[in-house]
Amino acid sequence: MKKEHQKKAESTPKNAEKVEAVQAQPKGKEVVYLSGLLEEQFPECFNRLISVLKRHGVEFRLLKGTKDIWCKDYMPIQTESGKLIQFRYEPSYLKGNKEWEDSRSDGKEVCRLNGFEPVFSNINLDGGNVLLCSGRAIVSDKIFTENPEYTDKEQLVKDLSELLEAEVIIIPAQNGDMTGHADGMVRFVDHDTILGNNRSDEYKYWTNGIEKVLKDYNLKYIDVPFFYNYKDSKHPDHAIGVYVNYLEVGNLIVLPVFEVEENKDDEAIAAFKQIFPDKTIETINFNDVALEGGVLNCTTWVYRKES
């Protein structure tokens, strides 16, 4: 179970802008890891994704010992120097529901079973709430409520900055999103540019908050489409319509398309081709997974091997 934040209905987004691409991470052979449960529980989505990866020669592997498919959240964060940082994975949104608590993967055990030896941190932080690019890290302010033992917020940010080897930029979380994950709101394009859900259709408090961040850190923001008018009574916390939760690996972007009534698929594809003119954009329907509350970035962990 995972949930991306709820959003207001969307109007036509602002035109996407072409930007000069800057490598988000140092070069190195990248491998896409997925929970072995993804193949078992969502075979059609799994096969669509694997087909794209194979077509582009992207190496992929399945993680052993997982209890859920959301491997982005419980696997380590890899810094630009290549170091792996394993944060404590005890999200508050899984507490109080035995089924959800029982489905929480043990990051330490998964790392052990799959041969990774990360540096462990007691900071409680989901991988989906960390975006890294060229010496910068975006994290939502959900990190403060997840770590109440840190009475000094500045110290928490400082400790996090040292671990991530990056300048930490705190953005506001969405009130309607119990996860508070940054990867459901924005993504890095390069050091000075982020893309994110169309601000004209976001809540005013969030827009005001993100505008302050843009000003403080001299960041450029490119609006991309989203929609949240799809209704499913059995899956009220779905992520249908969240295009920003794409997979990026090397020169490849795998963008979710939703193919439901009133989708913004064509707009999103056009926007991403304009934003990333030098990257290959592939699209897949990942709806069976999206109904559970996450999309492609949530279910993949990209590991950069040493050159």
Side-chain angles (χ1 to χ4, degrees):
M1 192 291 308
K2 182 182 173 75
K3 176 195 170 190
E4 298 297 350
H5 72 280
Q6 295 186 4
K7 315 170 184 76
K8 297 187 291 183
E10 182 194 18
S11 60
T12 303
K14 299 176 183 177
N15 291 332
E17 302 174 52
K18 180 177 178 179
V19 299
E20 293 298 322
V22 176
Q23 289 293 330
Q25 295 288 351
K27 291 183 179 180
K29 176 70 173 180
E30 291 185 319
V31 181
V32 176
Y33 281 83
L34 309 103
S35 165
L37 293 176
L38 186 65
E39 180 178 22
E40 177 183 325
Q41 298 175 359
F42 301 94
E44 292 185 4
C45 289
F46 175 84
N47 288 330
R48 289 182 193 124
L49 177 55
I50 295 309
S51 177
V52 171
L53 297 181
K54 286 182 176 179
R55 187 158 61 246
H56 293 277
V58 177
E59 185 178 350
F60 68 90
R61 298 177 187 173
L62 301 185
L63 292 165
K64 297 177 288 187
T66 65
K67 292 183 179 180
D68 66 272
I69 64 173
W70 314 113
C71 59
K72 174 68 69 176
D73 291 336
Y74 51 80
M75 292 303 289
I77 302 298
Q78 188 171 27
T79 68
E80 292 187 13
S81 71
K83 186 183 299 182
L84 293 175
I85 310 297
Q86 179 69 62
F87 292 99
R88 181 161 54 94
Y89 180 55
E90 297 179 4
S92 60
Y93 56 85
L94 294 184
K95 296 178 180 178
N97 182 309
K98 189 176 186 305
E99 180 181 354
W100 292 356
E101 289 181 353
D102 289 345
S103 71
R104 178 172 60 87
S105 293
D106 183 336
K108 289 185 178 181
E109 180 66 5
V110 175
C111 283
R112 186 187 69 80
L113 289 173
N114 292 275
F116 294 106
E117 298 180 352
V119 173
F120 293 99
S121 168
N122 198 44
I123 294 175
N124 191 23
L125 178 62
D126 300 355
N129 195 25
V130 181
L131 305 172
L132 279 177
C133 178
S134 303
R136 283 182 156 179
I138 289 178
V139 178
S140 89
D141 57 14
K142 178 76 170 181
I143 191 173
F144 297 130
T145 56
E146 292 292 271
N147 293 275
E149 66 276 12
Y150 269 92
T151 55
D152 185 342
K153 293 182 179 180
E154 291 185 3
Q155 186 61 52
L156 175 55
V157 172
K158 180 181 178 181
D159 291 349
L160 188 60
S161 177
E162 291 178 356
L163 286 166
L164 295 176
E165 303 168 2
E167 175 188 31
V168 173
I169 300 172
I170 301 295
I171 67 170
Q174 287 274 349
N175 291 343
D177 175 15
M178 63 185 177
T179 70
H181 288 174
D183 71 353
M185 298 181 283
V186 300
R187 299 287 293 274
F188 272 112
V189 176
D190 59 42
H191 179 272
D192 300 312
T193 311
I194 60 175
L195 63 77
N197 296 319
N198 192 344
R199 288 166 292 178
S200 66
D201 298 298
E202 283 287 12
Y203 294 101
K204 188 68 175 178
Y205 75 87
W206 189 84
T207 301
N208 289 341
I210 203 69
E211 290 295 338
K212 183 178 186 306
V213 171
L214 299 179
K215 182 179 180 181
D216 289 347
Y217 293 92
N218 195 28
L219 282 167
K220 182 178 181 180
Y221 189 107
I222 303 176
D223 295 285
V224 298
F226 73 83
F227 66 95
Y228 210 78
N229 50 6
Y230 180 78
K231 303 298 181 184
D232 187 320
S233 59
K234 294 182 179 179
H235 303 89
D237 299 328
H238 65 77
I240 300 289
V242 184
Y243 296 101
V244 299
N245 201 257
Y246 57 88
L247 165 63
E248 183 173 11
V249 52
N251 197 49
L252 174 67
I253 287 178
V254 186
L255 181 71
V257 290
F258 301 102
E259 301 175 331
V260 297
E261 189 175 352
E262 299 184 38
N263 69 71
K264 301 289 182 180
D265 294 350
D266 290 342
E267 289 180 47
I269 294 168
F272 275 78
K273 286 183 176 180
Q274 191 169 5
I275 296 166
F276 299 104
D278 299 321
K279 288 186 178 287
T280 299
I281 311 294
E282 288 272 14
T283 62
I284 62 171
N285 182 310
F286 218 59
N287 286 12
D288 288 347
V289 172
L291 286 171
E292 302 301 323
V295 203
L296 287 156
N297 196 60
C298 297
T299 52
T300 54
W301 181 61
V302 179
Y303 173 66
R304 190 177 66 258
K305 298 195 296 186
E306 294 183 7
S307 299

